[in-house]
């Protein structure tokens, strides 16, 4: 029987996000999900499926120049949905050049508008696809 | 285990990881695990303007299941060794 060496142990990569350099500080992380959501927060736990527990989770929604940080609290995110986990620098400002902070309802409306615009684009493209006959 | 060992050899090299959601990230390969989860350092998103939310992220952990391609530096790879290792692996124990 061969014992697992440190480099064979899964998720050793995520362990480094548990504590900051001084061990009393932690990084604020950005978690990207499959559906495009961006969750920021502090990593408290993880497992071999890369599921994570995020404390002080906020969904960061950016639509054009509008942004909104929607507080979510303590989140457990199932590993299946995670695309990437990134370390946010310092205060972790990812905002557009001239950010306009808006309320949750407004940003949701803006998101819906953006989604509808994308759907229309997709619809038109699908209808035109018959023109591209190879 | 073949690709796990292969990626371990590539630690320290610059690679570009293209994800299934079309996001492409260039960075130095820091570590890899048995699920081929990848940790990159000093990352740069290839099409920065399209993905503004990644601007202040320096290091990241990428789940293996969302990787579509890993683009390698042509000189960082000894393709013959990989070919040999694959033949050995295919022959079985």
């Amino acid at each position: 029987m061969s014992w697992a060496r440190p480099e064979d142990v899964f998720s050793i990569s995520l362990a480094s996000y548990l504590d900051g350099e001084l061990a009393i500080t932690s990084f604020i992380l950005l978690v990207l999900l499959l559906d495009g959501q961006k969750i920021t927060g502090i990593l408290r736990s993880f497992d071999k499926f890369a599921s994570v527990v995020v404390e002080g989770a906020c969904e960061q929604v950016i639509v054009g120049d509008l942004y909104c940080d929607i507080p979510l609290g303590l989140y457990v995110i199932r590993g299946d949905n995670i695309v990437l986990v990134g370390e946010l620098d310092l205060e972790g400002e990812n905002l557009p050049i001239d950010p306009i902070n808006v309320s949750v309802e407004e940003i949701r409306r803006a998101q819906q508008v953006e989604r509808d615009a994308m759907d229309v684009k997709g619809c038109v493209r699908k209808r035109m696809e018959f023109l591209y006959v190879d | 285990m073949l690709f796990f060992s292969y990626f371990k050899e590539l630690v320290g090299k610059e690679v570009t990881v293209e994800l299934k959601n079309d996001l492409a990230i260039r960075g130095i390969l820091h570590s890899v695990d048995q699920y081929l989860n990848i940790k990159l350092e000093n990352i740069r998103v290839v099409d920065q303007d399209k993905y503004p939310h990644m601007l202040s992220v320096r290091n990241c952990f990428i789940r293996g299941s969302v990787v579509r391609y890993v683009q390698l530096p042509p000189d960082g790879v000894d393709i013959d060794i990989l070919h040999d290792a694959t033949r050995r692996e295919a022959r079985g124990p």
Side-chain angles (χ1 to χ4, degrees), chain B residues 17-32:
Chain B
V17 181
E18 184 175 322
L19 307 181
K20 289 180 184 166
N21 65 358
D22 294 340
L23 179 64
I25 304 173
R26 184 166 50 231
I28 314 273
L29 183 63
H30 172 270
S31 57
V32 67

Side-chain angles (χ1 to χ4, degrees), chain A residues 20-33:
Chain A
E21 284 107 41
L22 300 171
I24 42 168
T25 60
S26 332
F27 308 109
I28 297 189
L29 301 180
L30 170 73
V31 184
L32 275 183
L33 303 184

Side-chain angles (χ1 to χ4, degrees), chain A residues 30 36-40 58-62 67-70 88 92-95, chain B residues 53:
Chain A
L30 170 73
Q37 275 188 62
K38 287 155 256 162
I39 312 276
T40 55
C58 274
E59 186 191 340
Q60 220 187 48
V61 190
I62 302 177
Y67 89 95
C68 183
D69 259 338
I70 306 164
L88 279 178
E93 290 306 300
N94 278 331
L95 304 175
Chain B
H53 48 270

Side-chain angles (χ1 to χ4, degrees), chain B residues 49-85:
Chain B
D49 316 301
K50 227 175 130 194
Y51 305 100
H53 48 270
M54 298 282 292
L55 277 171
S56 43
V57 182
R58 285 282 89 74
N59 314 319
C60 70
F61 164 92
I62 302 173
R63 198 170 195 267
S65 59
V66 302
V67 174
R68 186 187 287 144
Y69 308 124
V70 178
Q71 294 163 21
L72 310 164
D75 46 325
V77 175
D78 191 338
I79 202 77
D80 296 313
I81 295 192
L82 180 63
H83 201 166
D84 282 337

Side-chain angles (χ1 to χ4, degrees), chain A residues 29 66 69 103 107-108:
Chain A
L29 301 180
L66 311 173
D69 259 338
S103 66
I107 199 83
R108 288 295 183 215

